[in-house]
Amino acid sequence: MNPNKTRKIPSFFHLVGAVWYRHYRVYQNHFFTNSFPTVIEPLILMLSFGWGLAMAVGSMDGVDYLSFIAPGQAMMAAVYTSAFEESYGTYFRMMVDHNYDAMLSTPINVTEVFWGELLYTGTKGAFFSLVVVLVLSCFGIIHSFWGLLVPVVGFFTAIAFGSLGLFAARLVKNINQFNFFITGVVSPLILFSGTFFSIDKMPPYAAVIAKVLPLYFFIDVSRMLTTGRFNSDLYIALPYILIVPMVMGHFAVKAMYKKMIQ
Amino acid sequence: MSNDHLIEARQIVKNYDDFRAVDGVDFAVKPGECFGFLGPNGAGKSTLMKMIYCFSPRGGGELSIFGLDPDKSPAEIKNRMGVVAQTDNLDEDVTVTQNLQIYGGFFGIERTELNAKIKELLAFMALEAKADSGIRELSGGMKRRLVIARALLNEPDLIILDEPTTGLDPQVRHLIWAKLRELKAQGVTILLTTHYMEEAHELCDRLLVLDKGKVLAMGKPEELVKNSLPAYVLELPASQKDQITLSGSLQIELHGDKLFLFAAAPSELEKVAVQFKGQFRIRTTGLEDLFLKLTGRDLHESE
């Protein structure tokens, strides 16, 4: 329309932000429906465990059982929202709604699209883990104001699991194969990362494996925050939870590049 | 810009595994021109388009858009381009205006400027009444117009349309053609793919006929027809083949269940037509005839 006008290309951060904003605006209508299970699920778990298992177990690692599993509930919310968003969600945006084609017709490239997505899924993870912490604090099982920092951990947890979701989206041939991802990858990670029992109860080699896999340290740090009992693990855990999600994100975005640009 | 051409392609190639989708294509598009890719399904039109809008790296050859290499400067190229893909990839969960606001953000258009632009484009595409409607409330034609409006947000120098009117009714189709002509009058260069001869004829200054990844012909629509076919044609059912007496100067082609008799003057065809008591009419040759001749209908019908 105005052939001589040249428009400046927005910066990388602007474009990542624009993708984040797109997801926020488009999906906010579903926010309530999506957040409902995230809030309800830990409540149900608390009730069932509180009535049943917690009585039998008594305490774990020096805290009462419900306080022990509380931080894991917040992380589970971040894990599920991000793992689903970046596997099924990505698949739909890619194969059904063709949203990526629309975004990629602008100065946005694959890298900005998927970093914007991971940032969005991180935000969701932070928000949902905050909601869970607030809900659980009503049960008196969040013992420290440090617990308010759990959403920060939730943000990084969501980026890690969002990246796993992207790898799954990169690999699947059809949508049913995501079952392998959820049942074969996400669920075991939740069960064996110190969510419901201390990994000290596992054989030593298994405990080492559990520590390396991407959930243990997120729960470990969250637990320090909700109980207010910090230990020397923090020196390893803190760099781990900040760096590992970024590295995973980097490779996930690269994998998606190969899928998108053919 | 390093030359007078907005797009310049030399011997470009694209391979998917063992399949060669584009096989050594040459063409150049001048600023302000409407250039069309014409070809049957699977000819390589969309692949060629994808390479131009930086979705698909080329497998060989040289390609420059605005004097830039799409492999090296995709963001710079896309910043000056508007793309209307084959499928309406709108954000279904937000309104018409919100769709445009979100998309404008991808170009970093400042808010006041963007809102003014959105108003202007909704008016241009006759969608003002739908500004606050949801996407699901729109008809197919409205969605298409919205996708075109969206592609104009960044005031592109080049707009690319992949089968812009496929699946739309004739009224909407004519409206879209009128709008595209308006854009062209404003100096926007247009590149489109189509397999509608009428569309190619209505819009395109020049055409490239493509099949199996190769260029079959290129030029102005009328000239293409004039240079490759006699001026008149008579279409008959193929079953009548044995009942007609043919004079030597007629050109005959068989496509599916139709027999096409071509001649430079209508008088030669009239001799045949009288045998059928005027049941079949003589008409001037057009793009459709050329297309059939070049690409061969039989082959593609069986696909």
Side-chain angles (χ1 to χ4, degrees):
Chain A
M1 293 193 155
N2 186 351
N4 297 317
K5 188 172 176 182
T6 43
R7 197 181 289 285
K8 229 179 85 201
I9 300 167
S11 68
F12 174 79
F13 294 102
H14 178 100
L15 294 175
V16 167
V19 174
W20 182 94
Y21 180 71
R22 183 258 166 203
H23 281 21
Y24 168 72
R25 280 296 284 274
V26 173
Y27 301 125
Q28 68 180 353
N29 298 336
H30 305 296
F31 215 70
F32 179 72
T33 14
N34 283 343
S35 59
F36 182 74
T38 330
V39 180
I40 292 301
E41 203 179 354
L43 274 177
I44 294 173
L45 267 171
M46 282 299 136
L47 283 177
S48 105
F49 281 25
W51 282 330
L53 204 57
M55 305 290 187
V57 176
S59 73
M60 176 100 46
D61 275 1
V63 291
D64 68 280
Y65 188 60
L66 288 187
S67 300
F68 180 85
I69 63 169
Q73 302 313 301
M75 289 305 104
M76 268 170 72
V79 164
Y80 276 122
T81 187
S82 56
F84 276 94
E85 178 73 51
E86 293 310 292
S87 57
Y88 287 99
T90 297
Y91 188 89
F92 271 99
R93 283 186 285 275
M94 188 160 52
M95 311 299 274
V96 182
D97 297 332
H98 303 283
N99 302 127
Y100 297 130
D101 292 353
M103 288 186 241
L104 292 171
S105 311
T106 71
I108 294 177
N109 289 325
V110 176
T111 314
E112 289 103 352
V113 167
F114 290 102
W115 272 115
E117 277 210 21
L118 287 176
L119 213 59
Y120 171 75
T121 205
T123 312
K124 261 174 83 180
F127 178 75
F128 286 151
S129 46
L130 173 68
V131 171
V132 174
V133 167
L134 293 178
V135 168
L136 296 185
S137 64
C138 303
F139 292 79
I141 50 178
I142 307 296
H143 299 281
S144 162
F145 279 106
W146 285 109
L148 287 172
L149 284 181
V150 168
V152 178
V153 185
F155 175 84
F156 287 97
T157 309
I159 289 186
F161 279 79
S163 303
L164 288 180
L166 284 181
F167 282 120
R170 164 79 180 87
L171 293 171
V172 293
K173 300 265 187 288
N174 64 65
I175 199 157
N176 297 314
Q177 293 180 344
F178 282 125
N179 292 336
F180 292 106
F181 169 62
I182 300 296
T183 319
V185 178
V186 177
S187 296
L189 280 173
I190 286 175
L191 290 173
F192 297 106
S193 298
T195 317
F196 295 107
F197 59 92
S198 167
I199 63 164
D200 299 341
K201 311 266 185 252
M202 287 158 64
Y205 70 90
V208 171
I209 295 173
K211 279 192 174 186
V212 176
L213 294 175
L215 186 55
Y216 173 76
F217 281 125
F218 296 96
I219 291 176
D220 195 24
V221 173
S222 301
R223 188 167 288 129
M224 293 184 213
L225 293 171
T226 59
T227 57
R229 294 169 14 147
F230 294 88
N231 60 51
S232 61
D233 257 16
L234 197 63
Y235 298 112
I236 311 163
L238 206 55
Y240 181 99
I241 66 168
L242 297 178
I243 294 166
V244 169
M246 295 302 149
V247 174
M248 289 170 74
H250 173 75
F251 286 107
V253 170
K254 271 194 143 175
M256 287 315 287
Y257 189 89
K258 285 195 187 119
K259 176 107 178 170
M260 304 301 294
I261 301 293
Q262 288 183 353
Chain B
M1 231 176 291
S2 63
N3 50 47
D4 325 329
H5 290 122
L6 208 72
I7 306 176
E8 204 164 14
R10 243 182 304 166
Q11 284 300 305
I12 53 172
V13 166
K14 180 74 194 179
N15 297 314
Y16 291 113
D17 297 321
D18 293 337
F19 172 64
R20 181 157 278 201
V22 173
D23 191 2
V25 169
D26 289 292
F27 69 93
V29 179
K30 285 175 258 179
E33 190 176 27
C34 179
F35 193 89
F37 292 155
L38 193 64
N41 293 328
K45 303 187 297 286
S46 295
T47 310
L48 208 49
M49 285 293 215
K50 280 185 182 165
M51 287 194 269
I52 293 165
Y53 59 75
C54 314
F55 265 36
S56 183
R58 61 188 183 277
E62 277 173 59
L63 180 61
S64 100
I65 299 139
F66 309 124
L68 300 164
D69 182 340
D71 285 351
K72 291 187 190 121
S73 322
E76 285 82 354
I77 292 171
K78 292 189 291 177
N79 198 33
R80 296 174 58 187
M81 193 183 261
V83 178
V84 178
Q86 229 175 78
T87 40
D88 296 327
N89 43 26
L90 294 160
D91 292 328
E92 302 253 332
D93 293 304
V94 293
T95 67
V96 167
T97 302
Q98 287 168 340
N99 258 278
L100 297 174
Q101 285 170 339
I102 290 168
Y103 203 78
F106 298 158
F107 291 96
I109 306 172
E110 185 264 326
R111 183 176 287 263
T112 11
E113 188 196 343
L114 178 60
N115 286 335
K117 192 79 208 165
I118 289 172
K119 261 193 137 169
E120 178 196 324
L121 287 172
L122 287 179
F124 179 67
M125 279 295 167
L127 286 168
E128 303 114 303
K130 295 287 169 188
D132 298 316
S133 302
I135 301 304
R136 292 188 186 90
E137 298 161 38
L138 303 183
S139 67
M142 288 174 183
K143 283 187 193 172
R144 208 92 265 259
R145 271 143 61 199
L146 179 57
V147 176
I148 295 175
R150 194 179 67 173
L152 297 172
L153 278 170
N154 60 328
E155 305 183 327
D157 300 327
L158 168 67
I159 163 160
I160 295 186
L161 306 107
D162 201 353
E163 298 187 10
T165 63
T166 297
L168 300 179
D169 68 46
Q171 262 153 327
V172 176
R173 187 185 281 180
H174 279 280
L175 174 69
I176 288 179
W177 289 345
K179 293 302 171 190
L180 292 177
R181 274 192 292 261
E182 257 183 76
L183 287 173
K184 192 172 166 265
Q186 292 170 31
V188 180
T189 310
I190 299 173
L191 180 67
L192 59 87
T193 70
T194 184
H195 41 223
Y196 293 134
M197 301 312 123
E198 201 191 347
E199 184 160 88
H201 198 85
E202 286 269 342
L203 294 175
C204 297
D205 299 316
R206 282 195 306 142
L207 285 174
L208 183 154
V209 185
L210 198 69
D211 194 20
K212 294 179 198 129
K214 283 193 155 85
V215 178
L216 298 182
M218 186 158 49
K220 294 187 171 137
E222 327 77 68
E223 283 177 13
L224 279 178
V225 177
K226 214 167 84 186
N227 297 342
S228 341
L229 285 172
Y232 296 91
V233 63
L234 174 65
E235 246 178 82
L236 300 171
S239 55
Q240 306 295 330
K241 194 168 188 264
D242 304 326
Q243 285 152 51
I244 49 175
T245 31
L246 296 171
S247 63
S249 64
L250 293 180
Q251 245 186 62
I252 306 165
E253 297 234 2
L254 183 69
H255 293 295
D257 59 355
K258 287 269 180 77
L259 192 66
F260 295 80
L261 308 182
F262 295 97
S267 56
E268 295 172 60
L269 293 170
E270 268 155 20
K271 287 174 214 154
V272 182
V274 289
Q275 297 175 40
F276 297 97
K277 303 183 183 79
Q279 228 179 318
F280 308 108
R281 294 182 45 198
I282 300 162
R283 56 174 176 81
T284 51
T285 47
L287 269 178
E288 182 116 17
D289 303 299
L290 172 74
F291 185 79
L292 289 180
K293 186 187 170 192
L294 290 175
T295 62
R297 182 197 269 167
D298 295 348
L299 215 66
H300 294 279
E301 266 190 341
S302 60
E303 276 175 10

